[in-house]
Amino acid sequence: MPIMHLVAHNRLGEPNDTCAQAYPIEPNHEWQFLPEDRSDWYRFRLEASARLRVTLSNFVPREGQIALYRGESCGTAVFLKNDGDSSLNRTLDLGDQPAGQYFIFVGNDGPLNEVDYYTLFIDAQ
């Protein structure tokens, strides 16, 4: 029988308001979170180089941004790309990227929302 590991996180990811608290997610899965505060951080690892595309969908606050960084720690992370458009859906297409750790920042500059989940999808092929 498989063993399940449960980690207590408030509202699907909290606390993840700083890079050091980045919530771990995996590529090639959909993840849903609430925009109930101003800053959300996530981290994932590419085990091998891949064509990388990060999509933020159904971002109801609309105002804000998604940004991607690469580095083995928050202190060494290098900014790669961002999208501050005010649309519901945003995509960061980064092309070929090396193996390593990545950080995603989702900033909410609009109304806080505890009802409408947004979706993160990391397409790594």
Side-chain angles (χ1 to χ4, degrees):
M1 175 173 239
I3 297 172
M4 291 182 64
H5 296 279
L6 299 176
V7 178
H9 287 279
N10 183 15
R11 301 180 191 184
L12 295 176
E14 293 297 324
N16 66 335
D17 297 337
T18 67
C19 182
Q21 297 171 318
Y23 183 76
I25 58 178
E26 296 175 12
N28 302 313
H29 295 284
E30 282 193 347
W31 300 87
Q32 292 188 322
F33 302 97
L34 287 169
E36 83 291 348
D37 60 10
R38 297 289 173 209
S39 299
D40 288 331
W41 284 87
Y42 307 94
R43 63 182 161 84
F44 66 94
R45 178 167 289 285
L46 290 181
E47 297 301 330
S49 62
R51 179 159 175 76
L52 185 61
R53 177 181 289 164
V54 178
T55 303
L56 172 67
S57 303
N58 195 43
F59 192 66
V60 172
R62 293 188 181 234
E63 298 300 321
Q65 69 171 310
I66 179 172
L68 188 69
Y69 301 81
R70 180 180 59 235
E72 288 307 309
S73 70
C74 295
T76 63
V78 175
F79 171 79
L80 297 175
K81 193 169 188 177
N82 77 316
D83 185 340
D85 188 26
S86 61
S87 63
L88 281 174
N89 305 310
R90 305 154 197 213
T91 299
L92 300 178
D93 192 345
L94 291 115
D96 294 330
Q97 293 294 315
Q101 181 152 274
Y102 292 78
F103 296 93
I104 299 171
F105 168 72
V106 177
N108 179 3
D109 295 332
L112 302 182
N113 186 316
E114 295 188 14
V115 176
D116 299 304
Y117 289 88
Y118 64 84
T119 301
L120 277 178
F121 183 76
I122 302 159
D123 184 10
Q125 303 298 319

